[in-house]
Amino acid sequence: MATIRKHFVGSVLCTVCLWAAVAASAQTADQQQPKSNAAADKPAEKPKPRIRPNDAGSPIPTRAELLRGAYGPFRANNDLLYYHLDIRIDPERKFLSGKNTIRFRMLKDGTRIQLDLTDALAIDKILLGDTALKYDRDGAAVFVNFPHSLHAGQIYSIDFYYSGNPPETGRFGGFTFKRDPSGHVWINTACEESGASVWWPNKDQWRDEVESMDISVAIPSDLVDVSNGKFIGKTDLGDGYTRWDWRVHYPINNYDVSLNIGNYVHFSDQLGDLPLDFYVLPEDLGKAKTQFSQAKGMIEAYQHYFGPYPFAKDGYKLIQAPYSGMEHQSAVTYGNLFKNGYLDRDWTGVGISPRFDFIIIHESGHEWFGNSITALDRADMWIHEGWTTYLESLYVEYRWGTADAIKYLSGYRPKVINMRPIVAERGVNADPTQDQYFKCALMLNTLRSVVDNDTKWWTLLHSFYQRYKYQNIQTEDVVTYFNQNAGLNLTPIFNQYLRHPAIPRLELLFGEAPGMVMYKWAADEEDFAMPVRVGTLDHWQIIHPTTKWQSMQSPLSKDDFQVATDLYYIEVNKQ
Ligand SMILES: [Zn+2]
């Protein structure tokens, strides 16, 4: 697999991989040591992850990002219903051609809608029935003009024909023509960061999704295409090409739509009624049969916490790809060397990650958070990544218990940078800080401690997911739901973690009077208030600090007085 390894180093596709590549050199010695249960109430050693420019501040958006990011009038005037992406791919010429049929309902009368397609690809024609439509291109934005006004409430369908050589673009590659280690054609897409319009025409934003989709891919007959959804069938086109048809029965993100074309072999399994299908290169079949057996336990764990696998009609697929992995809906891609951990490393550095395959557990967790529940705007992407990172710890908890889950999460602390708020600017195709992964997982673990009732916490998680499955939401929806259903005002806590760079700091002042400890939170949110466990490992006591000084009696000395920093992601300052 040496060849494949090279791919990993050279091409970074999933956002997780992106972070991993950045963080690879940041595995510091303190990550290798398990944290004690009560962890340090001394200030933790400053983490030393490498920082992307983006983590330090948000860049000024370009015109292209505004066009991509804004939910402007020519997007807001229509509601997507259906796509049929029907394309032919010529591996020798690295050329693709075909059309996307786009069905939508107008929400307002209008003569213009906005679609998107990279300007590296040609628009051959756009038809409404037999009528060729005029269009204006502005970078990757395509404004389609109709000769007569379209009417609110009416459904329309247009055929968007295009062709060209899709360029590899961005860190994720977008659309790549590669060869597998045996020299066979290997074509893959992964375009979360760049956007799906780097290889096919669509309404390239997050807020609006089609309700269902068909994907038809014509390729040389010796190859296999695995895309999203249920395999419908393949048709020999008689010219050396075969068309593979896949049907997605659910709403789907544009960036989840994917092609995996190669010399794949297939094996399958079943979890109850749910079909599990696996596609790998023939030389890796043996290893895959062993490693992919983890998929069953993963789905069982997530079903335990959140309810049934969201895309039952489409089945669950795991597909080998030349990059570490991506959450493509019902067609998760995998390139983690058929080894546990993450790219053969202990991902959180505390000895737990080597027990499972990080890519199977993380990328598949996105089926619940990212694919089923989706953020409205990339600015709120923590709803995908923070939640899914937390799901990793739920998997650990399901398999090995609470203590190991807490320990696993503690390994994320040194990866947090705390330089920029998690929720980025909306409407500008923002690239959120990598803190959205680890800080948000630690925040959710903190909220569990604030709720302080695991039965209630598990019910909250389950009902939150059930309330918003198959929907597109934003941070405010999460906060409102938890406030209402936990019966607590968690807004200042969410705000502190999501909308300010700094985490709350517990200020402890000793010795004002004998046996007395004074305490308060230092936080950016004026009304920040959060209970926290203090005392000793065998005798915790919950105090309720606010941003105003309070005092408590304690026989403990400054050195003996501990704070349960493994249960709350906070800083502690003892003076
Ligand atoms: Zn992820």
Side-chain angles (χ1 to χ4, degrees):
M1 295 295 284
T3 318
I4 292 200
R5 236 174 190 298
K6 256 187 226 159
H7 286 305
F8 288 129
V9 175
S11 105
V12 170
L13 272 128
C14 160
T15 28
V16 162
C17 314
L18 161 62
W19 158 234
V22 174
S25 61
Q27 294 279 332
T28 51
D30 66 350
Q31 277 176 266
Q32 306 304 325
Q33 289 169 6
K35 304 280 181 206
S36 76
N37 192 26
D41 38 350
K42 314 171 195 162
E45 276 199 22
K46 277 283 167 210
K48 299 180 196 79
R50 277 174 55 193
I51 296 164
R52 299 179 302 163
N54 175 61
D55 294 310
S58 33
I60 295 168
T62 61
R63 176 175 179 80
E65 284 160 345
L66 292 172
L67 287 169
R68 258 298 300 290
Y71 203 68
F74 304 114
R75 283 173 164 170
N77 66 1
N78 68 87
D79 176 32
L80 286 173
L81 298 176
Y82 169 79
Y83 291 138
H84 181 191
L85 180 62
D86 183 0
I87 55 176
R88 170 180 284 244
I89 292 161
D90 180 342
E92 294 309 316
R93 293 168 57 217
K94 300 187 174 178
F95 186 82
L96 67 84
S97 58
K99 71 171 193 293
N100 186 22
T101 299
I102 303 171
R103 193 152 74 218
F104 56 95
R105 179 185 288 111
M106 286 303 278
L107 300 174
K108 280 183 174 175
D109 288 1
T111 56
R112 187 171 166 90
I113 63 169
Q114 181 187 343
L115 299 171
D116 305 87
L117 179 69
T118 172
D119 57 10
L121 295 173
I123 299 174
D124 298 325
K125 59 187 170 186
I126 304 176
L127 300 180
L128 172 69
D130 295 331
T131 307
L133 299 173
K134 295 194 168 125
Y135 53 85
D136 304 306
R137 302 191 82 166
D138 186 344
V142 181
F143 294 94
V144 182
N145 302 307
F146 296 88
H148 305 290
S149 185
L150 306 185
H151 298 299
Q154 297 290 308
I155 292 171
Y156 300 90
S157 182
I158 61 174
D159 296 314
F160 191 131
Y161 287 81
Y162 76 114
S163 59
N165 301 94
E168 281 195 28
T169 178
R171 295 188 187 92
F172 294 9
F175 193 109
T176 58
F177 289 91
K178 290 185 173 165
R179 296 270 167 181
D180 71 18
S182 306
H184 294 96
V185 166
W186 209 7
I187 300 170
N188 303 81
T189 66
C191 55
E192 180 179 18
E193 189 184 68
S194 313
S197 54
V198 299
W199 67 275
W200 61 285
N202 60 83
K203 182 177 172 180
D204 202 2
Q205 41 70 58
W206 284 21
R207 180 181 294 255
D208 190 11
E209 295 180 7
V210 289
E211 292 167 9
S212 63
M213 178 166 184
D214 282 294
I215 304 169
S216 301
V217 186
I219 47 175
S221 295
D222 59 335
L223 297 170
V224 172
D225 172 59
V226 192
S227 286
N228 317 79
K230 184 180 166 64
F231 177 57
I232 299 300
K234 55 178 181 169
T235 306
D236 189 333
L237 301 175
D239 58 354
Y241 273 64
T242 294
R243 192 186 68 235
W244 294 70
D245 292 310
W246 297 85
R247 178 163 301 153
V248 179
H249 294 84
Y250 302 87
I252 184 168
N253 300 336
N254 295 320
Y255 75 76
D256 269 332
V257 174
S258 63
L259 310 179
N260 298 281
I261 297 165
N263 180 38
Y264 286 114
V265 291
H266 169 233
F267 63 101
S268 61
D269 199 350
Q270 195 90 16
L271 178 64
D273 292 335
L274 179 68
L276 313 177
D277 289 283
F278 306 104
Y279 297 85
V280 296
L281 301 178
E283 55 266 41
D284 293 320
L285 183 60
K287 283 184 281 185
K289 282 188 169 172
T290 305
Q291 195 72 1
F292 287 6
S293 65
Q294 293 186 34
K296 254 185 183 172
M298 171 277 297
I299 294 172
E300 281 169 348
Y302 294 151
Q303 292 193 142
H304 167 79
Y305 290 107
F306 299 105
Y309 175 75
F311 308 109
K313 280 185 242 174
D314 291 347
Y316 170 82
K317 294 178 285 301
L318 200 51
I319 305 148
Q320 187 175 357
Y323 54 89
S324 76
M326 187 65 205
E327 66 254 32
H328 299 139
Q329 183 170 307
S330 82
V332 174
T333 46
Y334 176 90
N336 198 28
L337 311 172
F338 304 100
K339 287 180 177 170
N340 282 355
Y342 183 29
L343 298 179
D344 208 15
R345 289 205 327 268
D346 180 346
W347 175 228
T348 75
V350 293
I352 292 175
S353 176
R355 298 180 196 165
F356 61 91
D357 189 310
F358 173 79
I359 286 297
I360 296 176
I361 303 311
H362 178 92
E363 303 303 344
S364 307
H366 279 304
E367 296 279 44
W368 282 262
F369 289 90
N371 301 347
S372 176
I373 293 183
T374 306
L376 280 178
D377 188 299
R378 289 190 73 203
D380 297 84
M381 193 172 160
W382 75 274
I383 293 169
H384 302 197
E385 299 301 349
W387 274 95
T388 300
T389 304
Y390 183 64
L391 261 60
E392 295 163 26
S393 76
L394 294 182
Y395 174 78
V396 172
E397 179 145 4
Y398 185 76
R399 293 286 312 274
W400 298 289
T402 308
D404 280 357
I406 300 295
K407 186 174 165 189
Y408 180 80
L409 282 164
S410 296
Y412 276 142
R413 298 172 72 102
K415 298 182 193 281
V416 184
I417 294 165
N418 287 329
M419 288 182 74
R420 187 184 152 190
I422 297 291
V423 178
E425 185 183 355
R426 292 185 180 136
V428 299
N429 194 37
D431 180 20
T433 166
Q434 60 194 329
D435 280 356
Q436 62 176 322
Y437 293 84
F438 318 117
K439 185 173 181 174
C440 291
L442 292 162
M443 175 189 77
L444 292 169
N445 184 50
T446 303
L447 285 173
R448 174 181 179 176
S449 307
V450 171
V451 169
D452 193 31
N453 176 333
D454 277 349
T455 309
K456 189 172 166 184
W457 178 246
W458 302 135
T459 304
L460 270 173
L461 293 192
H462 187 274
S463 63
F464 168 66
Y465 170 76
Q466 290 295 327
R467 168 69 182 80
Y468 288 112
K469 62 185 177 184
Y470 309 121
Q471 294 178 47
N472 298 56
I473 64 172
Q474 54 190 351
T475 300
E476 288 81 347
D477 298 305
V478 184
V479 175
T480 302
Y481 188 88
F482 276 80
N483 281 346
Q484 286 176 353
N485 293 278
L488 299 166
N489 176 19
L490 302 169
T491 304
I493 300 178
F494 275 113
N495 282 351
Q496 183 63 44
Y497 285 100
L498 297 175
R499 299 185 185 281
H500 301 283
I503 59 172
R505 186 175 70 244
L506 184 63
E507 296 285 355
L508 296 171
L509 187 58
F510 294 83
E512 282 285 288
M516 192 174 86
V517 184
M518 295 181 67
Y519 58 87
K520 69 179 276 251
W521 288 115
D524 300 283
E525 287 287 305
E526 247 175 70
D527 52 351
F528 186 82
M530 185 167 87
V532 62
R533 280 177 163 77
V534 298
T536 57
L537 198 51
D538 46 11
H539 186 68
W540 290 124
Q541 166 184 2
I542 295 180
I543 57 171
H544 295 267
T546 65
T547 50
K548 306 277 183 290
W549 285 108
Q550 299 176 64
S551 63
M552 65 184 286
Q553 297 299 314
S554 172
L556 297 170
S557 69
K558 181 175 160 185
D559 284 345
D560 292 338
F561 190 97
Q562 295 185 331
V563 181
T565 49
D566 51 349
L567 303 180
Y568 306 84
Y569 179 52
I570 57 173
E571 285 189 48
V572 176
N573 184 28
K574 287 186 191 176
Q575 296 194 62

